Amino acid sequence: MSLLKSLKKRLVYQFIAIVIYETTCDIKVQRLKNGEIVFEEAKSFEIESKEKLNDTIIDYLDSLQEIVEQTYLALFLNTHGQGVVPSCAKSVYDKFHIDFDSVKHVCINNDYSIYASLIDIKWVEKIFDHSGLDFVFSPFLVLNELIQNFQLSTDTTLYLLSNTNSMTIMIFRGKQFLYGTFVNIAKEEDLLDSGFENDTFSNNSMEDEMMDEIDLDIDDTEDILNILETQSTQIDENEEKVVKIKNKLFGQDLRFVKYLDASLREFYDSDLYVSDFVNKVIVFDAAKLNVDIIKYLEDELLVEIEVIPASIDKVLIDLSKKEVGYFA
């Protein structure tokens, strides 16, 4: 072991993970010495607005930094003005109608790049002007960390990070990045309309299409009627099952399904992406999702969904450790 690593292990290190929501600010503290956790604490503070931390939070962060000199604050960037582009080239940003000079970007594996608007970065600097901030981690970096730790699938897989007020989606085909998006699901956004309410199992249109495609023959009439009756029954059963699940979904749960539906439509339909059929879905669940959501999505996507419990503050702390070179 090198002298530097030996000294680092003997020092006390403190890592603080911060996540700001619409009405709360969650803070997780982990203090380590000799590779062991010697103190751990999690607190949630109410806030009036995301634009300002109240004095209680500021005093709490100040007191923590006074206790331990080697303290690192990490923020989960939970804002609208960010995304991911399937390239690191400036020209590709133009194709996505993103002003390259108005965002801060990080290239990942020379394959894709994560960006955040300079407006969001200035917001972060303003909020933490007093306490300071060491790291700002994109939800895409958090999701990527979870994916790497879990094991990247060789199938075309949709990975989803479910947070209390947001969802982060990344689609990979093996190691190749294909698509990504971040959505705040705490509020209804009129700009994103998936048509979810109107597109699910339209009986009349489906029956009309079946009738148009069938050329009736007198001798086959009885068989055809039996086929149509069976198909109609299956459609009715499917619709009844979907409606029952939909009726259980309200507010944020319904928006979760709606935005996921819209994201998949964008991936499949837009010429900007190299689309491929998603045959696997892995959800890293940091929000304790409603089980009805998972059931509905499995029925709609016709794929099995694997749900893995996740902790965003734990990932933030792990990423901070890597940044400062702290290895237990």
Side-chain angles (χ1 to χ4, degrees):
M1 181 182 294
S2 69
L3 178 61
L4 181 59
K5 285 187 177 181
S6 177
L7 289 173
K8 281 187 176 182
K9 286 191 67 174
R10 296 183 184 184
L11 292 173
V12 176
Y13 277 74
Q14 183 170 245
F15 298 95
I16 302 174
I18 305 168
V19 185
I20 299 177
Y21 299 107
E22 274 63 34
T23 58
T24 60
C25 175
D26 292 355
I27 298 177
K28 173 72 172 286
V29 182
Q30 189 177 98
R31 208 171 291 159
L32 300 103
K33 185 177 182 179
N34 293 328
E36 300 290 334
I37 298 175
V38 295
F39 175 81
E40 198 167 49
E41 182 177 69
K43 287 191 175 186
S44 183
F45 299 88
E46 291 187 359
I47 55 175
E48 293 183 3
S49 167
K50 295 173 70 174
E51 301 304 316
K52 184 180 180 181
L53 298 181
N54 58 45
D55 292 340
T56 304
I57 298 174
I58 293 173
D59 291 343
Y60 178 63
L61 293 175
D62 285 348
S63 65
L64 289 171
Q65 293 181 89
E66 288 175 2
I67 295 171
V68 179
E69 182 178 354
Q70 301 295 330
T71 296
Y72 300 92
L73 280 72
L75 175 72
F76 180 75
L77 189 61
N78 207 6
T79 58
H80 288 286
Q82 59 182 316
V84 56
V85 172
S87 174
C88 296
K90 182 178 180 179
S91 58
V92 176
Y93 275 77
D94 293 335
K95 290 182 180 179
F96 281 82
H97 305 292
I98 300 168
D99 184 357
F100 191 78
D101 296 324
S102 297
V103 299
K104 186 172 183 178
H105 51 89
V106 177
C107 183
I108 308 296
N109 300 326
N110 293 317
D111 182 25
Y112 62 95
S113 54
I114 296 166
Y115 70 85
S117 72
L118 294 180
I119 293 175
D120 285 357
I121 300 301
K122 288 181 180 179
W123 167 78
V124 168
E125 293 174 348
K126 177 183 176 182
I127 295 295
F128 291 92
D129 178 58
H130 187 276
S131 63
L133 197 63
D134 297 285
F135 308 114
V136 179
F137 291 117
S138 158
F140 297 104
L141 280 177
V142 172
L143 178 54
N144 184 67
E145 181 74 4
L146 288 166
I147 294 170
Q148 300 303 322
N149 291 340
F150 176 73
Q151 186 174 8
L152 200 65
S153 171
T154 56
D155 298 322
T156 299
T157 304
L158 185 151
Y159 299 94
L160 190 153
L161 172 61
S162 170
N163 191 20
T164 300
N165 71 335
S166 65
M167 64 161 62
T168 309
I169 295 172
M170 298 179 81
I171 299 176
F172 286 86
R173 180 168 56 205
K175 294 183 178 181
Q176 181 188 6
F177 173 80
L178 300 178
Y179 173 85
T181 189
F182 172 84
V183 183
N184 185 310
I185 60 173
K187 299 177 181 179
E188 185 73 49
E189 295 295 330
D190 294 332
L191 292 176
L192 187 56
D193 183 8
S194 69
F196 169 77
E197 299 293 341
N198 302 318
D199 288 349
T200 308
F201 292 100
S202 174
N203 277 351
N204 293 334
S205 62
M206 291 179 75
E207 289 176 357
D208 290 343
E209 288 176 10
M210 285 191 291
M211 291 301 295
D212 290 340
E213 292 174 2
I214 294 175
D215 183 13
L216 289 176
D217 185 283
I218 298 295
D219 295 333
D220 296 332
T221 301
E222 187 175 347
D223 292 337
I224 292 171
L225 288 175
N226 288 335
I227 292 171
L228 288 177
E229 184 178 355
T230 301
Q231 289 176 324
S232 179
T233 301
Q234 290 173 344
I235 292 169
D236 289 341
E237 290 175 352
N238 285 336
E239 181 179 24
E240 182 180 0
K241 181 168 60 176
V242 172
V243 168
K244 281 182 179 179
I245 295 174
K246 275 183 60 180
N247 287 340
K248 294 181 181 180
L249 302 179
F250 300 97
Q252 190 158 302
D253 287 344
L254 189 58
R255 288 194 292 274
F256 181 97
V257 173
K258 180 178 179 179
Y259 289 134
L260 178 55
D261 177 76
S263 299
L264 278 171
R265 286 168 184 258
E266 182 183 29
F267 172 61
Y268 286 135
D269 297 340
S270 176
D271 293 335
L272 292 171
Y273 304 102
V274 180
S275 61
D276 191 9
F277 179 72
V278 172
N279 48 30
K280 192 171 185 179
V281 176
I282 297 175
V283 177
F284 296 100
D285 185 13
K288 296 182 179 178
L289 283 174
N290 184 338
V291 293
D292 290 319
I293 290 179
I294 303 302
K295 178 60 178 172
Y296 174 82
L297 292 176
E298 284 182 329
D299 290 339
E300 278 290 275
L301 301 177
L302 301 178
V303 295
E304 184 178 348
I305 298 177
E306 186 172 0
V307 180
I308 303 165
S311 171
I312 288 176
D313 51 28
K314 180 181 182 304
V315 179
L316 292 178
I317 290 173
D318 288 344
L319 287 170
S320 299
K321 290 177 184 177
K322 288 183 178 181
E323 288 294 325
V324 301
Y326 182 89
F327 301 101

